[in-house]
Amino acid sequence: MKLSGRTIFRIVVAVAAVGYLAWNQWHAQHAGTDAPVSPATTSNTVADAKPAPPRTWRFGKLTLTACHLGQPNSGLSTEAWCGALEVPENRADPQGRKITLKLAVLRSSAQVARPDMLAFLAGGPGQAATDYAGPIDGMLQPLRAHRDILLLDQRGVGGSNALDCKTDGKTDADDAAGFDPDKLRADAEACLKQVETHADPRYYTTTDAVQDLDDVRRALGVSQFDLVGVSYGTRVAQQYVRHHPDAVRSVVLDSTVPNSVVLGEDFAQNLDDALKAQFARCDTDAACKRRFGAPYQTLIQLRDALRANPHPVSFRDPQSYQTVQRMLDEDSLVSVVRMFAYTPATAALLPLSIDAAAHGDVGPLLGQAKLLTVDMADLAGSGMSYSVICSEDADLLTNRPQDADTLLGTHMVDAYKAICSAWPKGTRPADFHQPLETDKPVLLLAGQYDPVTPPRYAEEVAKALPNARVLLFKGQGHSVLATGCGPKLVQHFVEKLDPKTMDTSCLDRLQQEPFFIDFNGATP
């Protein structure tokens, strides 16, 4: 499998940022930019008008200020209470450099909120929780009736001393030399030079983030958290429970990453398994089978054809509507297929796009690839993700021969190793990859067709948890909490703490997303 160096670099970030497109599929409810929210002036004349001071809220030892939190690429906003906490970058050197953590609280509508605060742990590694205040508020609205919700940008992202790297802006057409470990290493070194101006990447690991979260809890004066983690956030949640068990009341894990899993080792196989399961539905759908035959077989044939004969083609850019030229190759196919497999809505487009490309109409495939590149732009320079993966996983990765002919192949492991050969590594606790054992109530949510954290991951974690239950969301992909009755089930669990006996029959109403038969949609 010959992927270009630049594309491998982008896919490494995309794979690390598990769930990014799934986040974008959540109904965007609020967004905007951080700005203090001030009450309207009561002055009668412009001359008499004076800016009113921002509203503040004393929460524990912190003073929070009324603000608006924005979601990237949107003009809407979510009201919140914003604050900051200064912590040592290196806790072994408390007199050394300090960093500021950005946090926000979505305040409960109750006159007196419950003492157990909900803490939302974002995915990635690389997502800033405060960037997604709107979708998070929408998902957890039932619980907000009685509980405050904490959003904390993990150190290294968002407003918490972000380890962001600017790229040179080149496209895949500028980098057609194939997989080049030296180029990946050079890109990582260039990123490191930018990051080292304000941070030591060794101290931006999950373990450091867990201590930050507990520092924030104590600063707020909160006795216990109800943890809600999504994707990579489930790793943070499990590590927090291990190190601070008395500070946890309950845990919700959506799209679970087991502690035992080395990030990257199963990506190729998980994707192929999910695609085969998804495309097998075509065999039982007369319209789909008649229109597309065997989509997985067509996909493999297209991959092999593009591997042998990559070539430039022209198509209409879906954003500018201008005719542009781009390389049609295995890279484009891999990028689109993997990321569009995350959600039912985008996966429903895959058989149609693959079939169109196989018959010479490349516009849908390359148009989607172009949109994907734009969607991933905000994550394309996340040094924090390198700090996490290089410190916690990279040395345990090995190439597996059985992955050689999968869509992702074995270059993903090679790419991680190349990047991490240049990136500084933090300390990994000896028990980091040991399964979590706790009697805390835990609810695990899993999507049937999740291409990155399959249901078997949730089942594996649940084996060591006597007070846990796995809920399977049929027909769904990655990040499922917002789907169907998910928010109500999570509300019931957090309020009642009865995972074994709670009624989950509402999940039976979930429907499979029908495949697009043509660009008008599915059959009636």
Side-chain angles (χ1 to χ4, degrees):
M1 179 177 182
K2 294 185 181 295
L3 297 180
S4 73
R6 189 170 301 278
T7 295
I8 278 288
F9 189 79
R10 188 177 70 242
I11 295 180
V12 165
V13 175
V15 171
V18 283
Y20 180 72
L21 290 185
W23 276 97
N24 281 350
Q25 291 301 315
W26 289 355
H27 44 87
Q29 299 187 32
H30 308 286
T33 57
D34 289 0
V37 177
S38 302
T41 179
T42 57
S43 175
N44 292 324
T45 68
V46 174
D48 293 335
K50 295 181 180 179
R55 293 178 292 138
T56 59
W57 175 23
R58 188 70 177 176
F59 198 136
K61 298 177 181 178
L62 300 182
T63 298
L64 308 181
T65 303
C67 63
H68 285 164
L69 291 175
Q71 185 173 333
N73 304 316
S74 174
L76 304 176
S77 63
T78 300
E79 291 187 1
W81 295 85
C82 293
L85 179 67
E86 187 177 78
V87 296
E89 182 181 55
N90 174 11
R91 285 188 169 77
D93 181 17
Q95 303 307 314
R97 179 163 48 201
K98 303 295 193 297
I99 61 174
T100 300
L101 304 175
K102 178 182 178 180
L103 63 98
V105 175
L106 303 179
R107 191 168 186 171
S108 172
S109 57
Q111 187 172 3
V112 178
R114 289 289 303 268
D116 51 300
M117 173 181 266
L118 211 70
F120 186 88
L121 307 176
Q127 291 177 342
T130 60
D131 281 347
Y132 298 94
I136 293 169
D137 184 31
M139 285 190 306
L140 302 179
Q141 188 62 229
L143 282 164
R144 192 177 170 187
H146 299 288
R147 289 170 176 81
D148 299 316
I149 300 173
L150 171 66
L151 308 179
L152 173 63
D153 285 358
Q154 186 167 327
R155 61 167 59 196
V157 302
S160 297
N161 202 35
L163 309 189
D164 291 340
C165 300
K166 296 180 180 179
T167 62
D168 57 17
K170 291 183 180 180
T171 65
D172 294 336
D174 303 311
D175 179 30
F179 178 74
D180 184 353
D182 292 335
K183 179 64 170 64
L184 291 174
R185 190 177 300 109
D187 286 341
E189 290 171 348
C191 180
L192 181 60
K193 288 181 180 179
Q194 298 180 48
V195 164
E196 286 180 326
T197 61
H198 62 281
D200 186 333
R202 294 177 297 170
Y203 305 115
Y204 289 77
T205 68
T206 301
T207 303
D208 296 306
V210 162
Q211 186 57 56
D212 289 342
L213 181 60
D214 202 58
D215 286 350
V216 170
R217 180 189 65 82
R218 288 185 284 109
L220 292 171
V222 174
S223 58
Q224 287 188 314
F225 279 142
D226 296 293
L227 300 175
V228 178
V230 177
S231 197
Y232 164 73
T234 66
R235 171 177 277 193
V236 179
Q238 291 170 83
Q239 295 296 325
Y240 187 85
V241 175
R242 169 169 287 160
H243 293 284
H244 305 283
D246 294 338
V248 177
R249 176 177 173 271
S250 70
V251 185
V252 176
L253 304 178
D254 177 6
S255 304
T256 308
V257 180
N259 284 341
S260 58
V261 162
V262 178
L263 286 182
E265 68 179 3
D266 289 342
F267 285 155
Q269 192 59 55
N270 289 346
L271 174 60
D272 272 31
D273 289 346
L275 289 172
K276 289 176 181 177
Q278 278 269 38
F279 292 160
R281 294 194 291 122
C282 225
D283 291 334
T284 59
D285 184 322
C288 183
K289 188 172 182 61
R290 182 170 57 252
R291 178 72 171 80
F292 303 122
Y296 186 79
Q297 182 179 347
T298 303
L299 172 61
I300 297 303
Q301 292 171 346
L302 178 60
R303 179 204 64 186
D304 292 345
L306 294 178
R307 179 183 296 175
N309 182 34
H311 53 280
V313 296
S314 298
F315 69 102
R316 191 176 295 276
D317 187 296
Q319 293 179 302
S320 68
Y321 303 106
Q322 301 297 312
T323 298
V324 296
Q325 189 175 79
R326 180 167 177 163
M327 183 67 69
L328 176 61
D329 54 15
E330 188 178 1
D331 299 16
S332 305
L333 185 67
V334 170
S335 297
V336 172
V337 170
R338 186 186 187 281
M339 298 310 294
F340 273 64
Y342 272 62
T343 69
T346 50
L349 288 166
L350 281 174
L352 178 61
S353 298
I354 292 167
D355 183 78
H359 288 86
D361 181 6
V362 301
L365 182 69
L366 292 183
Q368 290 163 19
K370 176 67 164 55
L371 291 173
L372 170 62
T373 303
V374 173
D375 280 340
M376 294 308 302
D378 290 339
L379 291 171
S382 177
M384 172 270 200
S385 68
Y386 301 149
S387 289
V388 168
I389 293 171
C390 294
S391 300
E392 300 167 5
D393 303 286
D395 64 311
L396 301 175
L397 286 169
T398 58
N399 278 319
R400 304 189 303 188
Q402 65 267 32
D403 292 338
D405 202 41
T406 62
L407 284 176
L408 286 177
T410 60
H411 279 184
M412 191 62 65
V413 173
D414 295 332
Y416 279 134
K417 288 184 176 296
I419 291 170
C420 293
S421 68
W423 200 261
K425 299 166 186 62
T427 301
R428 180 180 65 211
D431 63 350
F432 187 85
H433 283 294
Q434 294 299 310
L436 173 66
E437 296 182 1
T438 179
D439 59 0
K440 299 289 182 180
V442 181
L443 188 67
L444 302 98
L445 315 180
Q448 181 182 7
Y449 300 126
D450 189 334
V452 64
T453 55
R456 61 182 170 84
Y457 279 6
E459 296 288 353
E460 177 184 332
V461 172
K463 288 179 181 177
L465 306 176
N467 195 17
R469 183 175 179 182
V470 177
L471 302 186
L472 181 65
F473 285 60
K474 295 180 180 179
Q476 305 306 304
H478 191 69
S479 298
V480 296
L481 194 158
T483 304
C485 60
K488 287 292 185 182
L489 290 175
V490 170
Q491 176 194 23
H492 178 98
F493 165 73
V494 173
E495 291 180 348
K496 305 296 184 182
L497 302 182
D498 60 346
K500 300 285 190 180
T501 61
M502 61 188 294
D503 180 8
T504 62
S505 59
C506 62
L507 291 177
D508 296 337
R509 296 194 290 270
L510 289 177
Q511 300 292 319
Q512 301 270 12
E513 189 78 25
F515 289 122
F516 274 53
I517 299 302
D518 56 35
F519 289 105
N520 291 317
T523 56

